Amino acid sequence: MVTVNLGTLYYVLDHVYGALLHRTKLSPPFFSRGWGGTKLELLERMIKQLFPEVEGQNWPPTLVRPTWKTVWESKTASLREGVFRTPCDEQLLNALPPESHIARVAFLCPKSVPPQKMACVVHLAGTGDHAFERRLRLGEPLLKENIATMVLESPFYGRRRPMLQRGAKLLRVSDLLLLGRATIEEARSLLHWLDSEAGFGKMGVCGLSMGGVHAAMVGSLHPTPIATLPFLSPHSAVVAFCEGVLKHATAWEALREDLAMQKVTMTLEEVRERMRNVLSLTDVTRFPIPKNPNAVIFVAATDDGYIPKHSVLELQKAWPGSEVRWVSGGHVSSFLLHNGEFRRAIVDGLNRLQWKESPL
């Protein structure tokens, strides 16, 4: 009788999926157009500005006012879609592709109780999550818990995708930093809207994979306690692109040639080291500890071919009081099979927050 180690099977599944998706000619690699030139330098400067010396000086963000249309409405809930101009400042706006200037959001909300007795969680996109549907399916069963779901379409994704970009394969390294920086600004503005305009009693932010990295950053920078729920997420993009399966999906030769055109000669190993240095800007352990680390719950997979265990544990170590929950599986299988665990983490994270006091 042959016994199969399930953990190994899940890990192999991630690599088989990654090989089919990233090592065949079915789709182009990440960063086929190089580093991004002056845009990359601009983004490196702007990300460093996320860490103000005086706490709170980068709050409040620009208040957005989405224009809403109702998609459907029932006796108990409604789904609306909204559009708003990205709140990014002029420098960032000029760096973004024109297609990404208008942000789109879906808002699934229960109708049974007033907003101050409801919670709302902003769901951020994982790599390749171009539409609202998957995240709305994750949030829909939470309606009965009086938890609303707000889904943000990322820059460079869905209708915001640049014309020359195929799928999720960003053309330049600077695009990855730009996507992250703009997502953080937009999510912060949406949380501000949920708090000050819509009047929700509790709020949270979650995301899967890349979306979890962004959720951790948003939760870290928020001036008041919110639930922060990164799912299947590394502590840094370095892990995804330099250690996990996605290292096989990166156009290392094109990145080396781009440097050669700038009269910089590097070996492939030196190119990988430069990538590590650039992406170290996305290291969440460098971000401030969230206001209520007890309301931070990481859900990680035991046999993840994309995210090694050490990466998750580095985040927990950097944020004392946070919790890590392990699910059996790999990156792909957990993404498909463990939505119940993700929902449980959302409910538990929100339960660890105090209700906002209603204004008199």
Side-chain angles (χ1 to χ4, degrees):
M1 181 181 161
V2 179
T3 57
V4 178
N5 182 317
L6 267 182
T8 305
L9 193 64
Y10 290 135
Y11 188 80
V12 168
L13 175 65
D14 280 351
H15 281 267
V16 170
Y17 177 81
L20 285 172
L21 201 63
H22 305 309
R23 293 200 201 187
T24 61
K25 300 294 180 191
L26 292 175
S27 66
F30 283 96
F31 317 133
S32 58
R33 298 289 181 94
W35 296 92
T38 54
K39 272 191 188 178
L40 182 60
E41 292 158 26
L42 168 71
L43 265 297
E44 287 178 291
R45 280 200 311 275
M46 293 187 84
I47 286 172
K48 284 169 185 165
Q49 290 164 7
L50 273 175
F51 311 105
E53 287 176 22
V54 182
E55 199 175 346
Q57 74 181 33
N58 57 0
W59 190 266
T62 308
L63 181 63
V64 292
R65 297 187 186 279
T67 303
W68 298 103
K69 67 168 187 183
T70 300
V71 179
W72 58 257
E73 193 164 2
S74 70
K75 287 180 181 176
T76 56
S78 68
L79 176 65
R80 292 187 293 163
E81 286 185 10
V83 293
F84 59 93
R85 185 176 167 80
T86 183
C88 298
D89 65 26
E90 199 171 341
Q91 258 190 326
L92 208 50
L93 197 65
N94 290 337
L96 275 171
E99 297 93 336
S100 290
H101 287 192
I102 300 299
R104 291 175 64 238
V105 68
F107 190 23
L108 181 63
C109 197
K111 290 165 67 176
S112 51
V113 291
Q116 62 268 27
K117 295 192 177 168
M118 266 196 279
C120 184
V121 176
V122 176
H123 292 236
L124 303 180
T127 303
D129 191 356
H130 289 272
F132 295 140
E133 283 72 24
R134 190 201 66 78
R135 286 171 283 164
L136 287 174
R137 279 200 305 275
L138 180 63
E140 194 265 339
L142 297 171
L143 288 169
K144 63 181 182 295
E145 310 273 356
N146 292 325
I147 297 171
T149 292
M150 183 171 267
V151 179
L152 174 65
E153 181 182 69
S154 279
F156 294 90
Y157 276 26
R159 292 189 199 171
R160 306 179 72 186
R161 189 177 69 194
M163 197 187 306
L164 296 175
Q165 179 186 307
R166 285 185 60 193
K169 298 299 177 67
L170 303 172
L171 296 171
R172 299 169 188 83
V173 176
S174 59
D175 292 348
L176 182 66
L177 297 182
L178 197 50
L179 184 162
R181 185 72 169 82
T183 297
I184 290 166
E185 289 302 314
E186 291 169 6
R188 282 159 61 81
S189 288
L190 288 170
L191 285 165
H192 186 37
W193 181 86
L194 287 166
D195 183 20
S196 62
E197 297 291 302
F200 277 83
K202 291 182 184 182
M203 292 172 303
V205 60
C206 76
L208 197 141
S209 197
M210 175 186 75
V213 178
H214 296 151
M217 293 173 175
V218 171
S220 157
L221 295 168
H222 202 76
T224 58
I226 61 172
T228 303
L229 307 148
F231 304 142
L232 311 179
S233 302
H235 74 285
S236 161
V238 170
V239 175
F241 287 96
C242 301
E243 293 179 31
V245 173
L246 291 183
K247 71 183 176 192
H248 303 300
T250 299
W252 298 111
E253 197 57 57
L255 291 168
R256 183 166 72 168
E257 286 167 12
D258 188 23
L259 290 168
M261 289 178 71
Q262 299 166 47
K263 306 289 189 286
V264 178
T265 306
M266 283 190 182
T267 65
L268 279 178
E269 198 43 55
E270 288 170 328
V271 173
R272 287 190 177 96
E273 194 51 41
R274 180 164 196 255
M275 179 72 94
R276 281 181 171 277
N277 289 335
V278 169
L279 296 186
S280 68
L281 289 166
T282 66
D283 185 342
V284 182
T285 64
R286 297 170 53 184
F287 280 63
I289 297 172
K291 298 298 176 290
N292 185 350
N294 293 331
V296 178
I297 302 175
F298 303 103
V299 180
T302 51
D303 300 281
D304 195 320
Y306 287 74
I307 316 298
K309 281 183 183 177
H310 77 81
S311 183
V312 181
L313 297 174
E314 280 183 48
L315 261 174
Q316 186 191 26
K317 186 179 167 188
W319 290 357
S322 62
E323 180 188 351
V324 175
R325 296 180 179 181
W326 296 96
V327 294
S328 297
H331 201 75
V332 176
S333 63
S334 298
F335 170 79
L336 297 171
L337 302 175
H338 289 303
N339 281 328
E341 291 299 326
F342 302 147
R343 291 187 194 106
R344 193 167 296 120
I346 289 171
V347 171
D348 292 348
L350 289 166
N351 281 342
R352 295 173 188 180
L353 298 174
Q354 300 291 317
W355 287 101
K356 189 175 72 180
E357 289 187 20
S358 301
L360 296 174

